[in-house]
Amino acid sequence: MEDITATTNEYNTDYILYQSDYCSKEYVARVGSIAIPIFFSIVIILSLIGNVMVLVILALYESLQSLTNIFILNLAVSDLMFTLGLPFWACSFIWGWIFGDAVCKGVNFVFFIGFYSSILFLMLMTIQRYVAVVYPLSDWETGQKFVFVPILAWVVSAAAAIPASVQSSVVSDPNDPNSLHCEPNSESDKFVVIYLQNFFFVSAFIVMAFCYIRILQTVFRTRAQRRHRTIKLIFCIVVVFFVSWAPYNIVIFLQLLSHHEIKAFLECNVSKHLDYALYVFKFLAFSHCCLNPVFYAFIGVKFRNHLKMILQKVFQRQRVTDHDQQRIATVQTQCSVL
């Protein structure tokens, strides 16, 4: 009897120590509540400036009969939709979710539409680039026969975003009932959302990798004068996409293993390291929405020239306004002297 009691007490002691160590993530949460809102604010500002500028340039100077410009337009819109969810997530890291259940579902829907459509339009732009280089006689670039493609991409994105919206609600923190979070209703719902994210990323990367390998093979066989510049651009696009999203998808997948009670991922230190890694790689992944304008728009010569024209007009108008104000001030001064 004494042996049983001693064994039970020892087990309970070990269990309590393990639980207190495992659940002690206050410092991790504090780091996230400070770092994530700051970083998200920077991403929001850069994304709004870059993507709105893309839309302005397309509206003023470019023709939307080109399929490339149609994809750039839709990519900018999807990145802006993705960006709209970031202020809500930033606020939730500071004060918890204070916006109610309806806003929780709506923000998830808009956010994930932006997320999935951004990946799809990056993939479609890659396919378009592949067809233009590998099959240069194709009429893909005209876009007249492929108007349905962007519409189909938005439909697929909306369908993929439905689970994240419908299966999310406002739940209270088990350790702090006063702290609310916008999260999936159950572990199985969370699995569906994460597996869907992983599926989209892996599928898109396989397609992009295949297309760019074939593009590079075609470019190396030709004697184009700007071959090295094209190779550098293609290399940057693939690397940025992979580096931005691959670590994030790997970490969220590894965190799922702890929910499947795999022993190695239940240890306190491993769990904390995964939380820190998730913060860092979430920063990297979510910043992709403000990098897209650079790599898919402003890196082009025409877009750079259009941007210069806009900036020149803005500064020229500002100089004219300052000059007029200075003349008015001078006239008022002379009148007051008289």
Side-chain angles (χ1 to χ4, degrees):
M1 184 67 179
E2 292 180 358
D3 292 338
I4 297 176
T5 304
T7 303
T8 304
N9 291 335
E10 183 179 356
Y11 171 80
N12 290 334
T13 302
D14 292 340
Y15 178 79
I16 293 172
L17 290 174
Y18 173 78
Q19 283 294 100
S20 62
D21 185 44
Y22 178 77
C23 295
S24 178
K25 291 187 177 182
E26 294 181 3
Y27 183 76
V28 178
R30 192 179 304 116
V31 171
S33 65
I34 297 173
I36 288 183
I38 294 175
F39 185 84
F40 278 9
S41 300
I42 298 173
V43 172
I44 291 167
I45 294 172
L46 294 178
S47 178
L48 289 176
I49 294 174
N51 288 292
V52 169
M53 191 63 67
V54 170
L55 295 179
V56 170
I57 290 175
L58 288 173
L60 295 179
Y61 301 106
E62 293 292 328
S63 172
L64 292 180
Q65 294 182 350
S66 168
L67 189 61
T68 300
N69 289 338
I70 293 175
F71 284 155
I72 292 176
L73 172 67
N74 283 275
L75 180 62
V77 173
S78 64
D79 284 339
L80 286 174
M81 294 181 67
F82 180 87
T83 305
L84 290 177
L86 297 183
F88 294 92
W89 303 130
C91 292
S92 67
F93 272 93
I94 302 175
W95 300 294
W97 191 262
I98 58 176
F99 306 104
D101 193 70
V103 177
C104 171
K105 295 181 182 296
V107 168
N108 269 290
F109 185 67
V110 174
F111 178 81
F112 277 98
I113 284 182
F115 171 77
Y116 292 125
S117 61
S118 177
I119 293 178
L120 286 177
F121 283 115
L122 289 175
M123 185 174 65
L124 289 173
M125 291 176 69
T126 304
I127 295 174
Q128 185 274 332
R129 197 181 301 269
Y130 161 78
V131 175
V133 174
V134 180
Y135 304 100
L137 300 180
S138 172
D139 60 351
W140 171 275
E141 182 63 24
T142 61
Q144 296 179 357
K145 297 181 180 180
F146 300 96
V147 178
F148 70 92
V149 174
I151 299 175
L152 180 62
W154 285 111
V155 171
V156 172
S157 302
I162 289 177
S165 174
V166 174
Q167 298 173 354
S168 295
S169 61
V170 179
V171 297
S172 59
D173 191 332
N175 299 322
D176 184 8
N178 296 323
S179 179
L180 302 178
H181 302 281
C182 177
E183 296 179 351
N185 297 322
S186 64
E187 294 295 333
S188 60
D189 294 338
K190 186 176 182 179
F191 296 158
V192 170
V193 174
I194 293 179
Y195 286 143
L196 198 56
Q197 292 183 57
N198 292 152
F199 171 77
F200 263 76
F201 168 76
V202 173
S203 301
F205 183 74
I206 291 174
V207 172
M208 293 175 67
F210 169 80
C211 290
Y212 281 128
I213 289 172
R214 294 286 290 117
I215 289 172
L216 291 178
Q217 291 174 345
T218 303
V219 170
F220 275 119
R221 286 199 300 264
T222 62
R223 295 184 178 180
Q225 295 180 353
R226 298 182 179 180
R227 184 180 70 176
H228 295 293
R229 182 179 177 183
T230 304
I231 293 173
K232 289 180 181 179
L233 174 60
I234 294 170
F235 180 76
C236 289
I237 291 172
V238 175
V239 169
V240 168
F241 175 77
F242 182 79
V243 171
S244 296
W245 284 109
Y248 174 73
N249 280 274
I250 291 173
V251 170
I252 61 176
F253 177 77
L254 290 178
Q255 284 193 327
L256 283 183
L257 298 181
S258 64
H259 294 284
H260 291 297
E261 297 184 357
I262 296 179
K263 185 177 180 180
F265 295 93
L266 291 175
E267 296 181 3
C268 180
N269 289 333
V270 174
S271 180
K272 288 182 178 180
H273 289 157
L274 284 177
D275 288 342
Y276 284 123
L278 182 62
Y279 289 151
V280 174
F281 295 139
K282 182 178 288 187
F283 298 160
L284 189 62
F286 286 15
S287 65
H288 196 255
C289 64
C290 61
L291 295 177
N292 284 335
V294 177
F295 284 96
Y296 288 90
F298 297 140
I299 203 167
V301 176
K302 291 194 301 180
F303 271 87
R304 285 206 306 269
N305 294 334
H306 295 328
L307 180 61
K308 290 178 181 177
M309 291 175 59
I310 292 176
L311 294 177
Q312 288 175 356
K313 290 181 180 180
V314 170
F315 286 114
Q316 184 178 2
R317 184 176 300 174
Q318 183 65 35
R319 285 197 298 268
V320 172
T321 302
D322 294 340
H323 181 67
D324 292 341
Q325 291 178 350
Q326 186 177 2
R327 289 179 58 187
I328 294 172
T330 302
V331 171
Q332 290 178 347
T333 304
Q334 293 175 352
C335 292
S336 62
V337 172
L338 294 176

